[in-house]
Amino acid sequence: MHRGWIGLSIVGVITISCALFPPAAGTDTPRPATITPTATATWTPTPSGPCEATTAVDITVYSRPSHVADVFGVLSAGSVQSLSAQTGDGWFGFDPGVAQAANIGSFRLRWVNQADVSLSGDCGSLPVVWAPPVGVCFDMPMEDVDVHADADAASAVVIVLHVEEFAAVLGISGTGWAKVDLGPGNTGSSLVGWVDQATLNMNGPCGSLPIVS
């Protein structure tokens, strides 16, 4: 009888002791792992392919890069036009694909404004070109032309305009000569002189040149 009671008591003590004793000192208590979110890199694709302008509505095409330039035509809504040059101030040029044997360089281009179209492709790589200003008539001779100091064939030749060079036309003498300013042209000269009016190959608003002396 006494042994059974003692045995039961020991068992009871052992059971109670297991419930009351805390974890041994120095034992780490497991904790949930802390996950630090990592930044997700963003990737912007580099534009590629030909630069094209798409129109949502009918837009005006200009002969020179300005809204006050002469109108060349209209691109209808839904048109997609390949572009070949830009001015650096929001104008994009393209060759209209019409006969222009007498025109050179950017004189061959027609212009749309970036605000009027949706651009796609690698437009940033288009060359930035000089474009003829509005309101200026230019002469680009079809052959070498002497530029004289005066409206007289006997006067000194100050420079020769070569093929693919051009100069601004200031007006005509009324006696068969045209006054030209090489400053706005591509010769690198700033001289003003006279050329035989019969040699003129003009581009721009040249229909009502003033009489000059």
Side-chain angles (χ1 to χ4, degrees):
M1 295 284 299
H2 290 287
R3 281 182 198 162
W5 175 254
I6 292 171
L8 290 174
S9 298
I10 292 171
V11 171
V13 170
I14 292 172
T15 303
I16 294 169
S17 297
C18 290
L20 294 178
F21 280 106
T27 302
D28 292 334
T29 301
R31 292 183 181 152
T34 302
I35 300 174
T36 303
T38 57
T40 302
T42 58
W43 175 72
T44 303
T46 302
S48 61
C51 178
E52 296 179 329
T54 302
T55 61
V57 297
D58 292 355
I59 68 162
T60 302
V61 178
Y62 297 90
S63 59
R64 293 184 180 177
S66 171
H67 285 113
V68 298
D70 291 340
V71 172
F72 171 75
V74 173
L75 281 178
S76 59
S79 297
V80 178
Q81 176 63 57
S82 295
L83 305 173
S84 57
Q86 60 180 318
T87 61
D89 62 351
W91 288 89
F92 288 83
F94 64 92
D95 192 320
V98 297
Q100 302 187 69
N103 289 335
I104 60 172
S106 57
F107 287 96
R108 299 181 62 87
L109 302 178
R110 301 298 180 266
W111 302 90
V112 295
N113 190 268
Q114 181 176 353
D116 298 331
V117 298
S118 296
L119 298 177
S120 61
D122 187 10
C123 297
S125 66
L126 291 181
V128 178
V129 300
W130 174 90
V134 177
V136 181
C137 172
F138 284 92
D139 174 36
M140 50 190 75
M142 302 288 285
E143 58 186 7
D144 289 355
V145 171
D146 291 338
V147 181
H148 292 266
D150 298 302
D152 184 341
S155 66
V157 174
V158 295
I159 198 171
V160 176
L161 268 179
H162 301 290
V163 175
E164 296 194 356
E165 293 181 338
F166 54 88
V169 182
L170 301 180
I172 55 178
S173 66
T175 59
W177 291 86
K179 193 172 189 177
V180 295
D181 181 359
L182 279 68
N186 63 344
T187 65
S189 172
S190 58
L191 292 172
V192 174
W194 296 85
V195 298
D196 186 336
Q197 189 174 340
T199 68
L200 290 177
N201 172 48
M202 297 184 290
N203 177 286
C206 306
S208 56
L209 291 172
I211 302 296
V212 295
S213 58

